[in-house]
Amino acid sequence: MPIRTLLLGLCCLSPTAPVGPNPDAVVRQAWVMGTRLELQVESGSRLDAIAASEGVVHEIERFDRMLSNWDPGSAVSRLNDAPVGERVTVGTEVALLLTEALEWAERTGRAFDPSVGAFVELWGLREPARAGPEREVLPEPASWPLDAFEIDTELGLAVRRAEAASLETGAFGKGAALAAARARLLHGAVDRAFVDLGGQVLALGDPGEPWSIAIAHPSDRTRPVVRLRVQDVAVSTSGNSERWVERDGSRIGHILDPRTGKPTASWGSVTVVAEDPLAADVLSTALYVQGPDEGMRWMGDDPDVGVLFLIDRAGTLEARWNPAMERWFDNNPPVVELTKVDDR
């Protein structure tokens, strides 16, 4: 399969935002799911645009209440805190979502796995790291089964079957919330909409009016390196440069390899473009864990999901992407010229 490779110089440019709002657009900002939410909604009626924007905020806040790892009253937190074997009422909606997330874990060979929340705590990625002998208590993630959680989607119940298993929603929660926002927007009187939830994007629009966004250098978000023009898709980027903790004098990125329970290396970033926001969220994490070589092989010739790897090689940036990504590249890239080469 042809591999597209690009060497980029590290020139410093300003980041590029979506096209500015028209006079009738509604623009909002909020803080939700531990990050900044920015949205722009355009409609023939300002009242319709306001109602649609309110609906988006409502849906994302609702998913935050259901999936939060910080709120002890959320369905996910109650399940994590329950004794092994105890049935917990999580509701049908959460049960269906957890089932889908666990199916993604199986499909990706556990490059994505929401059941490794205990390792997130162990490494201090959500709060201060554990100390002393507790580090040795947790077994390797591969030693507990993929059915460590038993989910009943009809009754809205869930049971934790493995002592070490704990759900971490950071790698799929925002995608799930954006999927709900997408459904709300598609059923409203909306012409165009752009939702940015902490760097994960949902872009909806009339034909011929795509949204323009820039993908930043993986080591410096103020340096855009590739511009995309997207429409009716979600865009999710994963990398370690923006979120990390200090441990024993070293930086540890926030993305864990669920197959080992250890942090991944900081090699760059991966951007995924897909119609389904949840799929984009999950796959950007899984592909970052796999890395460019394994990730490109795993994606194969999938025609529906675009993937762009940006690999930082000590002062030079290499980009690799699959054929499905090419349709989203801007015809006039603002920073670089895309060059195709064959994989040898």
Side-chain angles (χ1 to χ4, degrees):
M1 145 178 200
I3 300 294
R4 283 74 175 168
T5 300
L6 167 66
L7 298 182
L8 309 178
L10 302 187
C11 55
C12 182
L13 295 173
S14 299
T16 302
V19 176
N22 66 36
D24 297 322
V26 171
V27 179
R28 293 196 57 179
Q29 293 186 355
W31 187 263
V32 64
M33 300 190 94
T35 191
R36 182 186 297 277
L37 166 66
E38 298 179 300
L39 65 141
Q40 176 176 323
V41 179
E42 300 177 13
S43 174
S45 163
R46 184 166 178 80
L47 290 178
D48 287 340
I50 291 173
S53 68
E54 289 288 342
V56 168
V57 175
H58 171 78
E59 283 295 88
I60 294 175
E61 289 178 338
R62 188 171 67 86
F63 271 74
D64 193 17
R65 290 192 296 270
M66 292 190 298
L67 302 179
S68 174
N69 284 114
W70 285 268
D71 180 359
S74 75
V76 167
S77 292
R78 289 189 289 103
L79 178 57
N80 284 341
D81 293 340
V84 170
E86 180 177 299
R87 287 156 49 113
V88 177
T89 299
V90 296
T92 300
E93 190 172 20
V94 172
L96 288 168
L97 178 58
L98 295 181
T99 297
E100 185 176 2
L102 293 169
E103 288 173 350
W104 273 112
E106 185 172 9
R107 289 174 61 183
T108 61
R110 271 185 161 160
F112 161 83
D113 188 347
S115 69
V116 292
F119 282 89
V120 174
E121 296 180 6
L122 178 71
W123 287 97
L125 302 182
R126 195 162 58 230
E127 56 189 5
R130 299 181 189 176
E134 291 186 16
R135 295 184 191 277
E136 309 303 325
V137 171
L138 295 178
E140 289 288 317
S143 68
W144 66 70
L146 276 168
D147 58 357
F149 288 90
E150 181 182 326
I151 313 294
D152 187 327
T153 56
E154 291 187 5
L155 297 178
L157 300 174
V159 180
R160 194 162 61 95
R161 293 297 187 191
E163 184 65 42
S166 175
L167 288 169
E168 165 61 39
T169 60
F172 72 93
K174 289 194 290 186
L178 286 176
R182 177 179 181 272
R184 178 69 71 96
L185 287 166
L186 291 177
H187 283 87
V190 172
D191 296 328
R192 301 173 78 229
F194 188 90
V195 185
D196 183 342
L197 183 57
Q200 295 198 40
V201 166
L202 172 66
L204 303 177
D206 285 338
E209 292 189 79
W211 294 93
S212 177
I213 62 174
I215 305 302
H217 189 290
S219 299
D220 184 355
R221 65 183 303 172
T222 68
R223 298 179 179 178
V225 291
V226 177
R227 191 191 301 273
L228 306 179
R229 291 176 64 81
V230 293
Q231 175 183 308
D232 296 332
V233 290
V235 183
S236 177
T237 298
S238 291
N240 270 330
S241 64
E242 293 299 319
R243 291 176 55 195
W244 48 270
V245 296
E246 196 82 25
R247 173 94 172 266
D248 300 329
S250 301
R251 285 187 177 186
I252 297 176
H254 74 287
I255 301 177
L256 294 179
D257 185 340
R259 301 167 296 188
T260 65
K262 298 177 181 179
T264 56
S266 296
W267 54 262
S269 69
V270 58
T271 297
V272 173
V273 181
E275 181 178 350
D276 178 8
L278 177 61
D281 192 3
V282 167
L283 287 174
S284 67
T285 300
L287 292 169
Y288 188 89
V289 169
Q290 292 173 336
D293 294 333
E294 181 184 350
M296 289 292 286
R297 289 193 299 269
W298 187 84
M299 285 302 302
D301 295 321
D302 190 319
D304 300 320
V305 179
V307 177
L308 169 67
F309 290 94
L310 295 178
I311 308 107
D312 192 351
R313 299 192 186 278
T316 305
L317 199 63
E318 177 185 317
R320 302 172 65 187
W321 63 92
N322 67 343
M325 191 69 180
E326 293 185 353
R327 64 177 293 197
W328 305 115
F329 287 135
D330 194 304
N331 290 331
N332 298 294
V335 181
V336 297
E337 180 178 351
L338 306 184
T339 303
K340 302 177 183 178
V341 300
D342 291 330
D343 185 27
R344 302 290 184 184

